[in-house]
Amino acid sequence: MPFTYKPLWKLLIDKEMSKRELMKATGISKSTIDKMGRGETVSLDIVDRVCNYFSCKVEDVIEHSRPRNEDSNE
């Protein structure tokens, strides 16, 4: 997957907040949190809810990671 939610998981650790607490505070479902845990794509609405809740930037929630085998722009 080209995106990772590692910044979000680090943010939760820094805020001493569980995924369950995040779900409750933002209305995000368990299945969506599970998808994020597997590095799957979620809607921008979900990212927006998290950003609004924490008053943070998108890059504080997701990160784009270029696959190792794509070293060129071709």
Side-chain angles (χ1 to χ4, degrees):
M1 286 291 150
F3 292 97
T4 178
Y5 300 94
K6 287 181 183 178
L8 173 59
W9 309 140
K10 183 181 181 318
L11 181 62
L12 289 179
I13 291 168
D14 292 346
K15 300 283 187 182
E16 297 182 358
M17 185 176 201
S18 70
K19 290 178 183 179
R20 185 171 301 279
E21 291 169 323
L22 177 65
M23 289 167 37
K24 191 172 187 177
T26 59
I28 296 172
S29 70
K30 182 179 182 331
S31 62
T32 299
I33 292 290
D34 291 344
K35 284 177 72 172
M36 295 168 83
R38 292 188 301 267
E40 296 177 11
T41 304
V42 298
S43 74
L44 286 176
D45 174 64
I46 299 300
V47 176
D48 182 54
R49 285 192 223 174
V50 174
C51 289
N52 284 330
Y53 179 76
F54 287 116
S55 298
C56 67
K57 298 177 184 176
V58 171
E59 54 268 24
D60 295 327
V61 176
I62 60 173
E63 177 179 276
H64 183 261
S65 58
R66 192 168 143 179
R68 291 183 199 153
N69 61 352
E70 293 183 17
D71 292 332
S72 68
N73 288 333
E74 297 178 24

